[in-house]
Amino acid sequence: MDVQKRIRQFVVENFYIANPAEVADDTLLVSNGYVDSTGMLEIIAFLEAEFGIRISDSETTPENLESIARIAAFVGRKQGKSAA
C-alpha cells in the first residue's frame, strides 16, 4: 500500500468518516472539521510510528499536514532526507 493510501486509511478509520468519498486527497482536514488539534497529534504519532520519521514542532504546519496529499508529500520529503 502506498503512503497516500495508508494515510487515507488511517484518517478514515480513526476519525470515523462515514463516507470516505467526501474526503478528497486535497480536502483540508482541520479547516473542514474532520480532524481537531488532538486528532492532529494522533496523525503525527501515526506518521512517526508507521513511516519511521521524526516530526519536529516547527514542521507541524498546515502546509505539511492539512490534507492527505500534503501529508503524503511531507512524508515523502522526510523519507528522502533520511535516506540521503
Side-chain angles (χ1 to χ4, degrees), residues 4 7 15 20 28 33 39 47 53-54 57 59-60 67-68 75 77 80-81 84:
Q4 195 155 317
I7 294 166
F15 299 101
L28 302 180
L47 296 173
I53 59 174
R54 176 77 181 107
D57 289 344
E59 295 173 314
T60 59
S67 70
I68 291 170
V75 169
R77 289 192 303 275
K81 283 183 182 177

Side-chain angles (χ1 to χ4, degrees), residues 38 40 58 69 84:
T38 303
M40 190 52 66
S58 66

Side-chain angles (χ1 to χ4, degrees), residues 44 48 54-61 64-65 74 78:
I44 291 167
E48 289 181 336
R54 176 77 181 107
I55 301 171
S56 68
D57 289 344
S58 66
E59 295 173 314
T60 59
T61 63
N64 290 333
L65 302 172
F74 173 66
K78 293 290 285 186

Side-chain angles (χ1 to χ4, degrees), residues 21-84:
E22 71 186 35
V23 179
D25 288 340
D26 62 348
T27 297
L28 302 180
L29 299 173
V30 175
S31 298
N32 288 306
Y34 293 106
V35 177
D36 61 13
S37 58
T38 303
M40 190 52 66
L41 294 175
E42 292 177 41
I43 289 175
I44 291 167
F46 162 75
L47 296 173
E48 289 181 336
E50 182 76 16
F51 300 108
I53 59 174
R54 176 77 181 107
I55 301 171
S56 68
D57 289 344
S58 66
E59 295 173 314
T60 59
T61 63
E63 291 76 21
N64 290 333
L65 302 172
E66 179 68 79
S67 70
I68 291 170
R70 289 181 190 179
I71 295 170
F74 173 66
V75 169
R77 289 192 303 275
K78 293 290 285 186
Q79 289 179 322
K81 283 183 182 177
S82 64

